[in-house]
Amino acid sequence: MKALVALILLVQLPIHKAVPAAPPAPLGCDDPESVAAAEVAVNYINGHSHHGYKFALNRIEDIRVIPQGPNNDIMFLELDLLETNCHILSPTPLANCTVRSFAEHAVEGDCDVKLQRVDGTLSVLASKCHSHADSSEDILKVCPDCPLLASLNNTEVLETVSAALNDHNSKTTDSYLRLLEIGRAKIQYHPAHTVVAEFAVGATNCSAEQAKANEGACQLLPEDQSNFGFCTAVMVKLPSQDLQVDCQLYGHQVPAPHIPLCQDTSAGLVPSAAGFINHNLGLSHNNPVASESSSSEIFRSMLSAKSVAKRAVAEAAQHDKVPRPVGFVPPPPPCPGKIRHFDI
C-alpha cells in the first residue's frame, strides 16, 4: 500500500523541463568589443594597402557574431572609413593622421571584414573594400569655390607632377627621386588657375648629379635600403606662372611580412593612374595564415551574415507593431554606430 501511495505521489509531481538559455543580446556597433574589432580591421586594411592614403574609422555600420565553440567566434564587420592626409607609406601612426575635411572633397571607403576571436584574441581572416569620393554637387553646395578632385591622368596634373619632380631633382644634392604614384590632384580656375598635386616618390641609387648623365640607369634602392617620400606641388598657371614644391623623405621602411613595398613604375607617368578620378581603396585580401583558403567561400559567408541581419531587422520591425505601455522608451538600435567625423 505504501508503495502504491509513493507511486501516485511521484506521478503527481510537476515535471520541470529544462529551459534553453536565452541567446546573448546582439553586439552593438558602439560596444567596446565592436570598436576593438574595428580598430584591428582598420589596421589590417591599411597594412595591406599598397597605394594611396591611410583610412580612418568613421562608423561601424553593422556587426554580426557567429559562435564557433567555447571562446571562439567569427565576426563580420561592415565599416565606413574616411581618407586621411597620410600616405600609405608614411610611418606616421594612424592616430596622428588627420582625416581630410568634407571641403577637401572627402573620400569614403566601404569595407567588409571577417575576423576570428579566439580566447579574446582577434585576427583578420579576410577583407574587401572599395572607395568613392563624395559627389561634386554635395561639395559645391557647402563650398561653391572649393576645387574638386581631378582625374589623375589629367594633362595639367601630369605636367605639374613632372615639372615639380624635375624642379626638386635639379636643386637637390641628395638622391635622385623617382615617381611612384600620384595620390591626389585638384584644379582651381578662380581667382587663379592653379593645379595642386600630391605624389609619392622613392629614392634611387643615383645622386641627382649622376642622373643628369644617365637617368635611365637609376633604379629604386633595394628593399633593405629603401627610402620613400611624399611631395606636394602647387603650380599657378594664370595670371602669372609659379611653381612651389615640397618633398619629404620618410627614411628606410621595413615592410611587414607578406606586404611588398611599392614597385618601381619607372620615371615618368604612373600606369595605374589612368582612369582613376581619385585614390581607390580597391582591396580584396585573404590572410595567408588563416585557415580559410577560398575567398569566394569567405565572402559568401559575409553575404549570408548580412541576410541574417536583414531578417532580424524585419522581424524587429514587425515586433515593434505590438502596442507598448504608455511611457515605454524602446532601447536604441545596436547598429549602425555613431559617426566619428562626418557623413557623406
Side-chain angles (χ1 to χ4, degrees):
M1 184 67 181
K2 290 182 179 179
L4 180 61
V5 172
L7 179 61
I8 294 173
L9 291 175
L10 181 63
V11 171
Q12 291 178 342
L13 287 175
I15 299 175
H16 296 283
K17 295 182 179 180
V19 179
L27 199 59
C29 280
D30 290 328
D31 289 348
E33 293 175 71
S34 305
V35 175
E39 289 175 352
V40 170
V42 171
N43 287 334
Y44 180 89
I45 290 165
N46 285 328
H48 289 78
S49 296
H50 305 311
H51 303 285
Y53 300 87
K54 296 180 182 181
F55 276 73
L57 178 64
N58 188 39
R59 189 183 205 184
I60 302 174
E61 285 287 342
D62 194 21
I63 180 168
R64 307 297 298 174
V65 181
I66 302 176
Q68 301 294 296
N71 300 318
N72 185 356
D73 301 313
I74 295 296
M75 306 175 77
F76 296 93
L77 285 174
E78 291 182 49
L79 305 176
D80 286 344
L81 312 181
L82 287 174
E83 186 184 76
T84 72
N85 61 356
C86 291
H87 192 268
I88 206 69
L89 292 174
S90 172
T92 304
L94 179 61
N96 296 337
C97 297
T98 302
V99 170
R100 293 186 186 271
S101 69
F102 181 85
E104 288 182 89
H105 206 162
V107 175
E108 180 184 34
D110 298 316
C111 296
D112 291 329
V113 187
K114 180 179 182 180
L115 305 95
Q116 187 170 29
R117 182 174 58 184
V118 179
D119 294 328
T121 301
L122 290 161
S123 58
V124 175
L125 300 180
S127 61
K128 189 173 185 179
C129 300
H130 70 275
S131 64
H132 62 277
D134 193 12
S135 69
S136 302
E137 292 77 9
D138 288 347
I139 301 296
L140 296 177
K141 285 179 184 176
V142 176
C143 183
D145 297 325
C146 287
L148 303 174
L149 286 173
S151 173
L152 301 184
N153 63 351
N154 178 283
T155 302
E156 290 187 84
V157 172
L158 298 177
E159 288 176 350
T160 298
V161 171
S162 178
L165 198 51
N166 289 336
D167 182 78
H168 174 85
N169 282 326
S170 68
K171 295 177 180 178
T172 186
T173 56
D174 298 324
S175 296
Y176 180 80
L177 300 185
R178 175 159 286 178
L179 177 65
L180 290 177
E181 69 172 11
I182 303 172
R184 261 181 166 250
K186 294 181 181 179
I187 301 176
Q188 187 166 8
Y189 296 97
H190 302 286
H193 186 171
T194 306
V195 181
V196 180
E198 300 175 1
F199 53 98
V201 294
T204 68
N205 57 358
C206 297
S207 67
E209 189 64 30
Q210 291 170 331
K212 292 178 182 178
N214 188 7
E215 189 276 337
C218 300
Q219 303 296 324
L220 286 178
L221 292 173
E223 192 169 282
D224 60 348
Q225 305 172 34
S226 59
N227 189 3
F228 300 124
F230 188 74
C231 299
T232 302
V234 179
M235 176 179 278
V236 180
K237 306 185 76 171
L238 291 172
S240 60
Q241 293 190 350
D242 181 51
L243 175 63
Q244 297 179 13
V245 185
D246 178 36
C247 292
Q248 301 291 331
L249 291 178
Y250 301 134
H252 176 53
Q253 299 292 297
V254 179
H258 314 295
I259 304 175
L261 294 170
C262 283
Q263 300 298 311
D264 187 359
T265 55
S266 77
L269 309 185
V270 181
S272 62
F276 284 1
I277 296 176
N278 57 274
H279 163 54
N280 186 359
L281 184 61
L283 169 70
S284 182
H285 194 274
N286 295 331
N287 191 331
V289 300
S291 58
E292 287 88 342
S293 58
S294 170
S295 60
S296 60
E297 177 187 343
I298 288 173
F299 291 109
R300 274 200 303 271
S301 58
M302 282 186 174
L303 292 174
S304 175
K306 287 183 181 181
S307 64
V308 170
K310 288 180 179 179
R311 285 200 302 272
V313 170
E315 291 171 1
Q318 186 69 28
H319 184 66
D320 283 344
K321 294 179 181 179
V322 177
R324 301 291 189 184
V326 177
F328 173 80
V329 179
C335 285
K338 67 179 180 181
I339 296 174
R340 288 161 172 76
H341 299 284
F342 50 84
D343 191 21
I344 67 172

